[in-house]
Amino acid sequence: MRDRKSQTRRRFLAAAGVASTTALAGCTGILGDGGSGSGGDGDQPTLADFRGSGELVSDRPAPGGTSIEDLPDLEGELSIYLGGGEGGRYTTLIDLLNQYYDGFEASAQTQPSSQLANVIVDEYESGTTQADVFWSVDAGSLAYVADNSATLDLSSDATSMVADDRFVTDQWAGVAGRSRAIPYNTNQFSASEIPTSVDAIATEDRFTDTIGWAPTYGAFHGFVTAMRQLRGEDGTREWLNNMLDQNPARYDSEYATVSQGITNGEVGLGLTNHYYPMLVFANTPDAPLDLAFTENDAGALVNTAGASVLDGASEPDLADLFVRHLLSAEAQEFLATRGFAFPMIEGVEPVGPLPTIEELSPPDLDLQSLSDVQPTIQLLEDVGILS
């Protein structure tokens, strides 16, 4: 048997103005393919292929950090379990790396991160691991796999690239940060009317019948799991029941919450990840849409997509080197300019009007604790939000 082992920007989208339209419209995924570099022609990609297009992006300096050119070449075949939900952006980045290295071919099997986490643990326990890398959209799934001893330690060369210790462990490295946020309709609310606490949203009469949420969405489950860790089961149950009393409108996804609910005026505000309003605003610059952040509660959680090397991988060294490439200057520029993520390395800034992580006020929470999601699902079922 194998051995097992604070400053908050309250308003920024409107300030970006028309410039944001061209700056952000080059994103892949929900908004379609972007950029017009050489990679699609079979030539070796350049920085222009990794970077999104547009006015704000074109004024960005060259990214700092470790360039792909300074890393050992990727060579060989790699199998990736890729958590879905990012609209094709991650597969686009994999394709760019495949094009950049003649002797490298990575293939990805895509499912929701939570499902893949269960698959990985089952395969590990049966000794039938099928992939080399797990690339998840959230830290909770990464933590679950690590907690079940299904990952190998990353090299210090990989972990040292992550600038903030909150977003890296020995077993996984964050590659794309995302914050919970409060997008709102500017025809219904001004910036000063958006509270800095999710408790106010759940209890104040002025928000009754005007909240949108996607309670079946994985990102929402991570948010509620964070709340459970911060205030306990009883406090979280109280918040959920208060929210139900507000009669929130349900949407299938957090993107739909913003694009359909808030932008169309069906609701006045919502609970989502920060990049969904950016995607909508990029595609619809005249939308009555802006974004605020809460402070020091689960509504201000900063989570991260990340990657780990699986125990049982056929190419563990290549897998570790692939993680280092996800933390390269070019890959981090891709994730920042095409997916509006918070970069995980020094030398790459968020796009345009987005604050840096340092300007946000997230709660003090170990992201490893987000692996404890099953009690969250049970709680959501108990209060009648999930069936």
Side-chain angles (χ1 to χ4, degrees), residues 179-183 270-275 277 291-294 299-301:
S179 175
R180 298 299 292 174
I182 309 295
L271 306 169
T272 75
N273 280 338
H274 81 275
Y275 52 83
L291 185 61
F293 298 91
T294 63
L301 173 70

Side-chain angles (χ1 to χ4, degrees), residues 40-358:
D41 300 326
D43 298 331
Q44 187 179 64
T46 66
L47 177 60
D49 298 287
F50 286 94
R51 174 178 283 172
S53 62
E55 184 175 333
L56 287 179
V57 172
S58 66
D59 291 335
R60 287 169 67 88
T66 301
S67 171
I68 287 176
E69 296 180 353
D70 298 324
L71 292 173
D73 288 356
L74 291 170
E75 186 170 355
E77 296 183 359
L78 199 67
S79 177
I80 301 168
Y81 277 159
L82 179 61
E86 293 306 309
R89 287 184 293 276
Y90 292 173
T91 54
T92 300
L93 180 53
I94 291 171
D95 289 343
L96 285 170
L97 292 173
N98 284 340
Q99 294 168 26
Y100 193 86
Y101 294 107
D102 291 337
F104 177 65
E105 183 65 32
S107 59
Q109 178 178 331
T110 303
Q111 295 181 33
S113 290
S114 58
Q115 292 182 22
L116 283 173
N118 288 320
V119 168
I120 290 167
V121 172
D122 288 345
E123 290 181 351
Y124 170 70
E125 291 178 345
S126 64
T128 59
T129 299
Q130 300 296 306
D132 303 293
V133 170
F134 179 33
W135 184 356
S136 167
V137 298
D138 70 282
S141 295
L142 292 165
Y144 176 79
V145 172
D147 286 345
N148 282 275
S149 304
T151 56
L152 299 174
D153 282 356
L154 293 170
S155 68
S156 60
D157 289 334
T159 58
S160 64
M161 296 175 77
V162 180
D164 192 321
D165 289 344
R166 291 175 295 176
F167 306 112
V168 63
T169 72
D170 290 340
Q171 287 78 40
W172 57 265
V175 299
R178 71 280 308 280
S179 175
R180 298 299 292 174
I182 309 295
Y184 62 95
N185 185 299
T186 55
N187 290 334
Q188 298 186 39
F189 294 105
S190 65
S192 62
E193 291 176 306
I194 306 302
T196 58
S197 167
V198 290
D199 287 323
I201 292 173
T203 57
E204 295 185 9
D205 291 343
R206 62 197 176 102
F207 298 121
T208 302
D209 297 323
T210 190
I211 304 169
W213 67 355
T216 63
Y217 213 53
F220 180 81
H221 299 164
F223 153 68
V224 177
T225 301
M227 184 178 290
R228 286 182 42 248
Q229 302 297 330
L230 292 166
R231 63 176 62 179
E233 192 95 356
D234 291 342
T236 305
R237 183 186 298 273
E238 180 182 7
W239 184 85
L240 291 170
N241 282 321
N242 286 338
M243 280 292 293
L244 288 175
D245 290 341
Q246 295 286 53
N247 193 31
R250 294 171 65 104
Y251 294 88
D252 291 337
S253 72
E254 292 189 348
Y255 178 74
T257 303
V258 179
S259 62
Q260 299 172 24
I262 299 172
T263 303
N264 295 339
E266 298 170 8
V267 294
L269 53 80
L271 306 169
T272 75
N273 280 338
H274 81 275
Y275 52 83
Y276 292 116
M278 297 296 288
L279 288 166
V280 173
F281 192 79
N283 201 35
T284 312
D286 295 329
L289 179 65
D290 215 315
L291 185 61
F293 298 91
T294 63
E295 299 175 358
N296 303 311
D297 64 11
L301 173 70
V302 179
N303 203 335
T304 183
S308 58
V309 176
L310 299 181
D311 193 347
S314 60
E315 297 286 349
D317 291 338
L318 178 60
D320 188 89
L321 182 57
F322 179 79
V323 175
R324 292 171 64 188
H325 274 73
L326 295 182
L327 292 163
S328 68
E330 290 84 356
Q332 290 292 291
E333 184 75 354
F334 176 99
L335 294 166
T337 61
R338 295 198 182 203
F340 316 119
F342 294 112
M344 291 286 103
I345 67 170
E346 294 182 355
V348 179
E349 296 296 322
V351 166
L354 280 173
T356 64
I357 289 178
E358 290 73 25

